[in-house]
Coordinates of all heavy atoms in Angstrom, one line a residue:
D44 N 155.0 218.2 44.1 CA 154.3 218.6 42.9 C 154.2 220.2 43.0 O 154.1 220.7 44.1 CB 152.9 218.0 42.7 CG 153.0 216.5 42.6 OD1 154.0 215.9 42.3 OD2 151.9 215.9 42.9
M45 N 154.0 220.9 41.9 CA 153.9 222.3 41.9 C 152.8 222.8 40.9 O 152.6 222.1 39.9 CB 155.2 223.0 41.6 CG 156.4 222.7 42.5 SD 156.2 223.4 44.2 CE 156.1 225.2 43.8
S46 N 152.2 223.9 41.3 CA 151.2 224.5 40.4 C 151.5 226.0 40.2 O 152.1 226.6 41.0 CB 149.8 224.3 41.0 OG 149.2 223.1 40.7
W47 N 150.9 226.5 39.1 CA 150.8 227.9 38.8 C 149.3 228.2 38.9 O 148.5 227.5 38.2 CB 151.4 228.3 37.5 CG 152.9 228.3 37.4 CD1 153.7 227.4 36.9 CD2 153.7 229.4 37.8 NE1 155.0 227.7 37.0 CE2 155.0 229.0 37.6 CE3 153.5 230.6 38.4 CZ2 156.2 229.8 37.9 CZ3 154.6 231.4 38.8 CH2 155.9 231.0 38.5
V48 N 149.0 229.3 39.5 CA 147.6 229.8 39.7 C 147.6 231.3 39.4 O 148.6 232.0 39.7 CB 147.0 229.5 41.1 CG1 145.6 230.1 41.2 CG2 147.1 228.0 41.4
R49 N 146.6 231.8 38.7 CA 146.6 233.2 38.4 C 145.3 233.8 38.9 O 144.3 233.1 39.1 CB 146.8 233.5 36.9 CG 145.6 233.0 36.0 CD 146.0 233.2 34.6 NE 144.9 232.8 33.7 CZ 145.0 232.8 32.3 NH1 146.2 233.1 31.8 NH2 144.0 232.4 31.6
Q50 N 145.3 235.1 39.1 CA 144.1 235.8 39.5 C 144.0 237.2 38.8 O 144.9 238.0 39.0 CB 144.0 236.1 41.0 CG 142.7 236.7 41.5 CD 142.4 236.5 43.0 OE1 143.3 236.2 43.7 NE2 141.2 236.6 43.4
A51 N 143.0 237.3 38.0 CA 142.8 238.5 37.2 C 142.1 239.5 38.1 O 141.4 239.2 39.0 CB 142.1 238.3 35.9
P52 N 142.2 240.8 37.8 CA 141.5 241.9 38.5 C 140.0 241.6 38.6 O 139.3 241.4 37.6 CB 141.8 243.1 37.8 CG 143.1 242.9 37.0 CD 143.0 241.4 36.7
G53 N 139.5 241.6 39.8 CA 138.0 241.4 40.0 C 137.5 240.0 39.8 O 136.3 239.8 39.8
K54 N 138.4 239.0 39.6 CA 138.0 237.6 39.4 C 138.6 236.7 40.4 O 139.5 237.1 41.1 CB 138.4 237.2 38.0 CG 137.8 238.0 36.9 CD 138.1 237.4 35.5 CE 137.4 238.1 34.4 NZ 137.7 237.5 33.1
G55 N 138.1 235.5 40.5 CA 138.6 234.6 41.4 C 139.8 233.9 40.9 O 140.2 234.1 39.7
P56 N 140.5 233.1 41.7 CA 141.7 232.4 41.3 C 141.4 231.4 40.1 O 140.3 230.8 40.1 CB 142.2 231.6 42.5 CG 141.5 232.3 43.6 CD 140.2 232.8 43.1
E57 N 142.3 231.2 39.2 CA 142.2 230.3 38.1 C 143.5 229.4 38.1 O 144.6 229.9 37.9 CB 142.1 231.0 36.8 CG 142.0 230.1 35.6 CD 142.0 230.8 34.3 OE1 142.4 232.0 34.2 OE2 141.8 230.2 33.2
W58 N 143.3 228.1 38.2 CA 144.4 227.2 38.1 C 144.9 227.3 36.6 O 144.1 227.3 35.7 CB 144.0 225.8 38.4 CG 145.1 224.8 38.1 CD1 146.2 224.5 38.9 CD2 145.1 223.9 37.0 NE1 146.9 223.5 38.3 CE2 146.3 223.2 37.1 CE3 144.3 223.7 35.9 CZ2 146.7 222.2 36.2 CZ3 144.6 222.8 35.0 CH2 145.8 222.0 35.1
V59 N 146.2 227.3 36.5 CA 146.8 227.5 35.1 C 147.5 226.2 34.7 O 147.3 225.7 33.6 CB 147.8 228.6 35.1 CG1 148.6 228.7 33.8 CG2 147.1 229.9 35.4
S60 N 148.4 225.6 35.6 CA 149.2 224.5 35.2 C 149.8 223.8 36.4 O 149.9 224.4 37.5 CB 150.4 225.0 34.3 OG 151.2 224.0 33.8
A61 N 150.2 222.6 36.2 CA 150.8 221.8 37.3 C 151.8 220.9 36.7 O 151.8 220.5 35.5 CB 149.7 221.0 38.1
I62 N 152.8 220.5 37.6 CA 153.8 219.6 37.2 C 154.1 218.7 38.4 O 154.1 219.1 39.5 CB 155.1 220.4 36.7 CG1 156.1 219.5 36.1 CG2 155.6 221.2 37.9 CD1 157.3 220.2 35.4
N63 N 154.4 217.4 38.1 CA 154.7 216.5 39.2 C 156.1 216.7 39.7 O 156.9 217.4 39.1 CB 154.4 215.0 38.7 CG 155.5 214.5 37.8 OD1 156.1 215.2 37.1 ND2 155.6 213.2 37.8
S64 N 156.5 216.0 40.7 CA 157.7 216.3 41.4 C 158.9 216.0 40.5 O 159.9 216.8 40.6 CB 157.8 215.4 42.7 OG 157.7 214.1 42.4
G65 N 158.9 215.0 39.7 CA 160.0 214.7 38.8 C 160.0 215.5 37.5 O 161.0 215.4 36.8
G66 N 158.9 216.1 37.2 CA 158.9 216.9 36.0 C 158.4 216.2 34.8 O 158.3 216.7 33.7
G67 N 158.1 214.9 35.0 CA 157.7 214.1 33.8 C 156.2 214.2 33.4 O 155.9 213.8 32.3
S68 N 155.4 214.7 34.3 CA 154.0 214.9 33.9 C 153.6 216.4 34.1 O 153.9 217.0 35.1 CB 153.1 214.0 34.9 OG 153.4 212.7 34.7
T69 N 152.9 216.9 33.1 CA 152.5 218.3 33.1 C 151.0 218.4 32.8 O 150.5 217.5 32.0 CB 153.3 219.1 32.2 OG1 153.2 218.6 30.8 CG2 154.8 219.2 32.6
Y70 N 150.4 219.4 33.3 CA 148.9 219.6 33.1 C 148.7 221.1 32.8 O 149.3 221.9 33.4 CB 148.2 219.1 34.3 CG 148.6 217.7 34.8 CD1 149.7 217.6 35.7 CD2 147.9 216.6 34.3 CE1 150.1 216.3 36.1 CE2 148.3 215.3 34.8 CZ 149.4 215.2 35.6 OH 149.8 214.0 36.0
Y71 N 147.7 221.3 32.0 CA 147.4 222.7 31.6 C 145.9 223.0 31.6 O 145.1 222.1 31.2 CB 147.9 223.0 30.2 CG 149.4 222.9 30.2 CD1 150.0 221.7 29.7 CD2 150.2 223.9 30.6 CE1 151.4 221.6 29.7 CE2 151.6 223.8 30.5 CZ 152.2 222.6 30.1 OH 153.6 222.5 30.0
A72 N 145.5 224.2 32.0 CA 144.1 224.6 31.7 C 143.9 224.8 30.2 O 144.8 225.1 29.5 CB 143.9 225.9 32.4
D73 N 142.7 224.5 29.8 CA 142.3 224.6 28.4 C 142.7 226.0 27.8 O 143.1 226.2 26.7 CB 140.9 224.3 28.1 CG 140.6 222.9 28.3 OD1 141.5 222.0 28.3 OD2 139.4 222.5 28.4
S74 N 142.6 227.0 28.7 CA 142.8 228.4 28.3 C 144.2 228.7 27.9 O 144.5 229.7 27.2 CB 142.3 229.4 29.4 OG 143.0 229.1 30.6
V75 N 145.2 227.9 28.4 CA 146.6 228.2 28.1 C 147.3 227.0 27.3 O 148.4 227.2 27.0 CB 147.3 228.4 29.4 CG1 146.7 229.6 30.2 CG2 147.5 227.2 30.3
K76 N 146.6 225.9 27.1 CA 147.2 224.8 26.5 C 147.7 225.2 25.1 O 147.0 225.8 24.3 CB 146.1 223.7 26.4 CG 146.7 222.3 26.1 CD 145.6 221.2 26.3 CE 145.0 221.1 27.7 NZ 144.0 220.1 27.8
G77 N 148.9 224.7 24.8 CA 149.5 225.0 23.5 C 150.3 226.4 23.5 O 151.0 226.6 22.6
R78 N 150.1 227.2 24.5 CA 150.7 228.5 24.6 C 151.7 228.6 25.8 O 152.7 229.2 25.7 CB 149.7 229.6 24.7 CG 148.7 229.7 23.6 CD 147.9 231.0 23.7 NE 147.1 231.0 24.9 CZ 147.1 231.9 25.8 NH1 148.0 232.9 25.7 NH2 146.3 231.9 26.9
F79 N 151.4 227.9 26.9 CA 152.2 227.9 28.1 C 152.9 226.6 28.3 O 152.4 225.5 27.9 CB 151.4 228.2 29.3 CG 150.8 229.6 29.4 CD1 150.9 230.5 28.4 CD2 150.2 230.0 30.6 CE1 150.3 231.8 28.5 CE2 149.7 231.3 30.7 CZ 149.7 232.2 29.7
T80 N 154.1 226.6 28.8 CA 154.9 225.4 29.2 C 155.4 225.5 30.6 O 156.1 226.5 30.9 CB 156.0 225.2 28.2 OG1 155.5 225.1 26.8 CG2 156.8 223.9 28.5
I81 N 155.0 224.6 31.4 CA 155.5 224.5 32.8 C 156.8 223.6 32.8 O 156.8 222.6 32.1 CB 154.5 224.0 33.7 CG1 154.9 224.2 35.2 CG2 154.1 222.6 33.5 CD1 153.8 223.9 36.2
S82 N 157.7 223.9 33.6 CA 158.9 223.1 33.7 C 159.5 223.4 35.1 O 159.1 224.3 35.8 CB 159.9 223.4 32.6 OG 160.4 224.7 32.7
R83 N 160.5 222.6 35.4 CA 161.2 222.7 36.7 C 162.6 222.3 36.6 O 163.0 221.4 35.8 CB 160.5 222.0 37.8 CG 160.4 220.5 37.7 CD 159.4 219.8 38.6 NE 159.8 220.1 40.0 CZ 159.0 219.9 41.0 NH1 157.7 219.6 40.8 NH2 159.4 220.2 42.3
D84 N 163.5 222.9 37.5 CA 164.9 222.4 37.6 C 165.1 222.1 39.1 O 165.2 223.0 39.9 CB 165.8 223.6 37.2 CG 167.3 223.1 37.1 OD1 167.6 222.2 37.9 OD2 168.1 223.8 36.4
N85 N 165.0 220.8 39.4 CA 165.1 220.4 40.8 C 166.5 220.7 41.4 O 166.6 220.9 42.6 CB 164.7 219.0 41.0 CG 163.2 218.8 40.8 OD1 162.4 219.7 40.8 ND2 162.8 217.5 40.6
A86 N 167.5 220.8 40.6 CA 168.8 221.1 41.1 C 168.9 222.5 41.5 O 169.7 222.9 42.4 CB 169.9 220.8 40.0
K87 N 168.1 223.4 40.9 CA 168.1 224.8 41.2 C 166.9 225.2 42.1 O 166.7 226.4 42.4 CB 168.1 225.6 40.0 CG 169.3 225.5 39.1 CD 169.3 226.4 37.9 CE 170.6 226.3 37.1 NZ 170.5 227.2 35.9
N88 N 166.1 224.2 42.5 CA 164.9 224.5 43.3 C 164.0 225.6 42.7 O 163.5 226.5 43.4 CB 165.3 224.9 44.7 CG 165.8 223.8 45.5 OD1 165.8 222.6 45.1 ND2 166.4 224.1 46.7
T89 N 163.8 225.5 41.4 CA 163.1 226.5 40.7 C 162.1 225.9 39.7 O 162.3 225.0 39.0 CB 164.1 227.4 39.9 OG1 165.1 227.9 40.8 CG2 163.4 228.6 39.2
L90 N 160.9 226.6 39.7 CA 159.8 226.3 38.8 C 159.7 227.4 37.8 O 159.9 228.5 38.1 CB 158.5 226.2 39.7 CG 157.2 226.0 39.0 CD1 157.1 224.6 38.5 CD2 156.0 226.3 39.9
Y91 N 159.3 227.0 36.6 CA 159.2 228.0 35.5 C 157.8 227.9 34.8 O 157.1 226.9 34.9 CB 160.2 227.7 34.4 CG 161.6 227.7 34.9 CD1 162.3 226.6 35.2 CD2 162.3 228.9 35.2 CE1 163.6 226.6 35.7 CE2 163.6 229.0 35.6 CZ 164.3 227.8 35.9 OH 165.5 227.8 36.4
L92 N 157.4 229.0 34.2 CA 156.3 229.0 33.3 C 156.6 229.9 32.1 O 156.8 231.1 32.2 CB 155.0 229.6 34.0 CG 153.7 229.5 33.2 CD1 153.3 228.0 33.0 CD2 152.6 230.3 33.8
Q93 N 156.8 229.2 31.0 CA 157.1 229.9 29.7 C 155.7 230.2 29.1 O 154.9 229.3 28.8 CB 157.9 229.0 28.8 CG 158.2 229.6 27.4 CD 159.1 230.9 27.5 OE1 160.1 230.9 28.2 NE2 158.7 231.9 26.8
M94 N 155.5 231.5 28.9 CA 154.2 231.9 28.3 C 154.4 232.6 27.0 O 155.1 233.6 26.9 CB 153.6 232.9 29.3 CG 153.4 232.4 30.7 SD 152.5 233.5 31.8 CE 153.6 234.9 31.8
N95 N 153.9 232.0 25.9 CA 154.0 232.5 24.6 C 152.6 232.9 24.1 O 151.6 232.5 24.6 CB 154.6 231.4 23.7 CG 156.0 231.0 24.1 OD1 156.8 231.8 24.6 ND2 156.3 229.8 23.8
S96 N 152.6 233.6 23.0 CA 151.4 234.1 22.3 C 150.4 234.7 23.4 O 149.2 234.3 23.4 CB 150.7 232.9 21.6 OG 151.6 232.4 20.6
L97 N 150.9 235.5 24.2 CA 150.1 236.1 25.3 C 149.0 236.9 24.7 O 149.1 237.6 23.7 CB 151.0 236.9 26.2 CG 151.9 236.1 27.1 CD1 153.0 236.9 27.7 CD2 151.0 235.5 28.3
K98 N 147.9 236.9 25.5 CA 146.6 237.6 25.1 C 146.3 238.5 26.3 O 146.7 238.3 27.4 CB 145.5 236.6 24.9 CG 145.8 235.5 23.9 CD 144.6 234.5 23.9 CE 144.9 233.4 22.9 NZ 143.8 232.4 22.9
P99 N 145.5 239.6 26.0 CA 145.1 240.5 27.1 C 144.4 239.7 28.2 O 144.5 240.1 29.4 CB 144.1 241.4 26.4 CG 144.7 241.5 24.9 CD 145.1 240.1 24.7
E100 N 143.7 238.7 27.9 CA 143.0 237.9 29.0 C 143.9 237.1 29.8 O 143.5 236.5 30.8 CB 141.9 237.0 28.4 CG 142.4 236.1 27.2 CD 142.1 236.7 25.9 OE1 142.3 237.9 25.7 OE2 141.6 235.9 25.0
D101 N 145.2 237.1 29.5 CA 146.2 236.5 30.4 C 146.7 237.4 31.5 O 147.4 237.0 32.4 CB 147.4 236.0 29.6 CG 147.1 234.9 28.6 OD1 146.3 234.0 29.0 OD2 147.6 234.9 27.5
T102 N 146.2 238.7 31.4 CA 146.6 239.6 32.4 C 146.1 239.2 33.8 O 144.9 238.9 34.0 CB 146.0 241.0 32.1 OG1 146.6 241.5 30.9 CG2 146.3 242.0 33.2
A103 N 147.0 239.1 34.7 CA 146.7 238.6 36.1 C 148.0 238.6 36.9 O 149.1 238.8 36.4 CB 146.2 237.1 36.0
V104 N 147.8 238.4 38.2 CA 148.9 238.1 39.1 C 149.1 236.6 39.1 O 148.1 235.8 39.3 CB 148.6 238.6 40.5 CG1 149.8 238.2 41.5 CG2 148.4 240.1 40.6
Y105 N 150.3 236.1 38.9 CA 150.6 234.7 38.8 C 151.3 234.3 40.0 O 152.3 234.9 40.5 CB 151.4 234.5 37.5 CG 150.7 234.5 36.3 CD1 150.2 235.7 35.7 CD2 150.4 233.3 35.5 CE1 149.5 235.7 34.6 CE2 149.7 233.4 34.4 CZ 149.2 234.6 33.9 OH 148.5 234.6 32.7
Y106 N 150.8 233.2 40.6 CA 151.4 232.6 41.8 C 151.8 231.2 41.6 O 151.2 230.4 40.9 CB 150.3 232.5 42.9 CG 149.6 233.9 43.3 CD1 148.5 234.3 42.6 CD2 150.2 234.6 44.3 CE1 147.9 235.5 42.9 CE2 149.6 235.8 44.7 CZ 148.5 236.3 44.0 OH 147.9 237.5 44.3
C107 N 152.9 230.8 42.2 CA 153.3 229.4 42.3 C 152.8 228.9 43.7 O 152.7 229.7 44.6 CB 154.8 229.2 42.1 SG 155.8 230.0 43.3
A108 N 152.5 227.6 43.7 CA 151.9 227.1 44.9 C 152.1 225.6 45.0 O 152.3 224.9 44.0 CB 150.4 227.4 44.9
T109 N 152.0 225.1 46.2 CA 152.0 223.7 46.5 C 151.3 223.4 47.8 O 150.9 224.3 48.5 CB 153.5 223.2 46.5 OG1 153.4 221.7 46.5 CG2 154.2 223.7 47.7
D110 N 151.2 222.1 48.1 CA 150.5 221.7 49.3 C 151.4 221.1 50.3 O 152.5 220.6 49.9 CB 149.4 220.7 48.9 CG 148.1 220.8 49.7 OD1 147.7 222.0 49.9 OD2 147.6 219.8 50.1
R111 N 151.0 221.0 51.5 CA 151.9 220.5 52.6 C 152.3 219.1 52.4 O 153.3 218.6 52.9 CB 151.4 220.8 53.9 CG 150.1 220.1 54.3 CD 149.7 220.3 55.7 NE 149.3 221.7 55.9 CZ 150.0 222.6 56.7 NH1 151.1 222.3 57.3 NH2 149.5 223.8 56.8
D112 N 151.4 218.3 51.7 CA 151.7 216.9 51.5 C 152.4 216.6 50.2 O 152.7 215.5 49.9 CB 150.4 216.1 51.5 CG 149.4 216.4 50.4 OD1 149.8 217.3 49.5 OD2 148.3 215.9 50.4
G113 N 152.8 217.7 49.5 CA 153.6 217.6 48.3 C 152.8 217.2 47.1 O 153.5 217.0 46.0
M114 N 151.5 217.1 47.2 CA 150.7 216.6 46.1 C 149.8 217.7 45.6 O 149.2 218.4 46.5 CB 150.0 215.4 46.4 CG 150.8 214.2 46.8 SD 149.9 212.8 47.3 CE 149.0 212.4 45.8
V115 N 149.7 218.0 44.3 CA 148.7 218.9 43.9 C 147.7 218.2 42.9 O 148.1 217.3 42.2 CB 149.4 220.1 43.2 CG1 150.3 220.8 44.1 CG2 150.0 219.7 41.9
V116 N 146.5 218.7 42.9 CA 145.5 218.1 42.0 C 145.3 219.1 40.9 O 144.8 220.2 41.1 CB 144.2 217.8 42.8 CG1 143.1 217.3 41.8 CG2 144.4 216.9 43.9
P117 N 145.6 218.7 39.7 CA 145.4 219.6 38.5 C 144.0 220.1 38.5 O 143.0 219.3 38.7 CB 145.7 218.7 37.3 CG 146.7 217.7 37.9 CD 146.3 217.4 39.2
G118 N 143.8 221.4 38.3 CA 142.5 221.9 38.2 C 142.0 222.6 39.5 O 141.0 223.3 39.5
T119 N 142.7 222.4 40.5 CA 142.3 223.0 41.8 C 143.3 224.1 42.2 O 144.4 224.2 41.7 CB 142.3 221.9 42.9 OG1 143.7 221.5 43.2 CG2 141.5 220.7 42.5
Y120 N 142.9 224.9 43.2 CA 143.8 226.0 43.6 C 143.7 226.2 45.1 O 144.0 227.3 45.6 CB 143.4 227.3 42.9 CG 142.0 227.7 43.0 CD1 141.5 228.4 44.1 CD2 141.1 227.5 42.0 CE1 140.2 228.8 44.2 CE2 139.8 227.9 42.1 CZ 139.3 228.5 43.2 OH 138.0 228.9 43.3
I121 N 143.4 225.1 45.8 CA 143.4 225.2 47.3 C 144.7 224.6 47.8 O 144.8 223.4 47.8 CB 142.2 224.4 47.9 CG1 140.9 224.9 47.3 CG2 142.2 224.6 49.4 CD1 140.6 226.4 47.5
Y122 N 145.6 225.4 48.1 CA 147.0 225.0 48.4 C 147.4 225.6 49.7 O 146.9 226.6 50.2 CB 148.0 225.3 47.3 CG 147.7 224.7 46.0 CD1 147.6 225.5 44.9 CD2 147.5 223.3 45.9 CE1 147.3 224.9 43.6 CE2 147.2 222.7 44.7 CZ 147.1 223.5 43.5 OH 146.9 222.9 42.3
D123 N 148.4 225.0 50.4 CA 148.8 225.5 51.7 C 149.9 226.5 51.5 O 150.0 227.4 52.4 CB 149.4 224.3 52.5 CG 148.4 223.3 52.9 OD1 147.3 223.7 53.4 OD2 148.6 222.1 52.6

Side-chain angles (χ1 to χ4, degrees):
D44 301 341
M45 298 293 298
S46 276
W47 286 98
V48 178
R49 67 186 181 186
Q50 186 162 17
K54 296 187 177 180
E57 178 190 11
W58 172 79
V59 174
S60 183
I62 188 168
N63 74 335
S64 58
S68 296
T69 57
Y70 311 87
Y71 298 94
D73 287 344
S74 58
V75 306
K76 199 172 294 182
R78 300 188 298 121
F79 290 11
T80 302
I81 190 172
S82 63
R83 64 192 298 161
D84 186 336
N85 287 344
K87 294 183 178 179
N88 288 352
T89 303
L90 175 72
Y91 302 101
L92 186 68
Q93 177 67 44
M94 305 186 296
N95 299 330
S96 302
L97 282 161
K98 305 174 181 180
E100 51 263 45
D101 294 318
T102 295
V104 177
Y105 284 72
Y106 301 89
C107 60
T109 190
D110 217 44
R111 67 177 67 246
D112 64 3
M114 300 176 64
V115 303
V116 177
T119 67
Y120 55 82
I121 307 300
Y122 298 127
D123 295 309

